[in-house]
Amino acid sequence: MPETLFPTALDAAALERGAALAPSFNGDGLIAAILQHAQTDEVLMLGWMNAEALRRTLDSGEVWFFSRARQELWHKGDTSGQIQQVVEIRVDCDQDAVLVKVLPQGDGGVCHVGFRSCFYRIWEEGQLAERP
């Protein structure tokens, strides 16, 4: 349960301005996690973390996620070698999303399809086109 790994903010002021990390997990016990390249500011991917994945990310300095499809924790890059080394973690104003600035390891990518970023397609002229 999220509340066993992280405190609950007592009020809006504590949530929005306090020093305690008190993530607001959604009804499924998840929080959105955006990965951003620490040197280029490129948005690399969006994933989901449960309390355990967030705690492991904080403790290990490497990114962990919760797979909604497989219903299990996964260490980003464990099989691909694309470990994501944490440089900085930010939370948004109401602590329901995290921004994780990373240095990609391995081949420097993050996407399982083989692109540097999961955002490799652009909407143009009524369809999606690959633009790495």
Side-chain angles (χ1 to χ4, degrees):
M1 299 288 301
E3 54 275 354
T4 61
L5 295 178
F6 296 97
T8 300
L10 298 176
D11 56 28
L15 182 69
E16 297 168 354
R17 304 297 299 262
L21 177 60
S24 295
F25 296 94
N26 69 16
D28 294 324
L30 302 174
I31 190 168
I34 302 161
L35 294 192
Q36 182 180 39
H37 197 291
Q39 294 173 332
T40 67
D41 290 335
E42 179 181 13
V43 176
L44 300 173
M45 70 172 280
L46 168 72
W48 296 92
M49 293 180 175
N50 64 4
E52 187 175 352
L54 180 56
R55 175 52 57 202
R56 286 187 185 199
T57 298
L58 293 167
D59 291 347
S60 72
E62 295 178 353
V63 177
W64 286 76
F65 289 109
F66 182 80
S67 170
R68 295 178 298 167
R70 296 186 313 268
Q71 292 291 298
E72 65 185 19
L73 288 173
W74 58 283
H75 181 217
K76 179 66 180 143
D78 205 26
T79 57
S80 67
Q82 295 175 327
I83 300 290
Q84 303 300 306
Q85 180 184 347
V86 175
V87 173
E88 177 179 286
I89 296 177
R90 293 178 177 235
V91 296
D92 72 340
C93 54
D94 52 1
Q95 296 199 43
D96 65 356
V98 294
L99 173 67
V100 186
K101 294 189 174 198
V102 298
L103 290 175
Q105 304 300 297
D107 65 6
V110 70
C111 184
H112 75 283
V113 177
F115 290 89
R116 177 180 168 98
S117 166
C118 291
F119 297 96
Y120 58 89
R121 293 183 288 179
I122 187 170
W123 179 258
E124 64 182 18
E125 299 180 20
Q127 65 182 6
L128 291 174
E130 289 185 4
R131 297 287 187 263

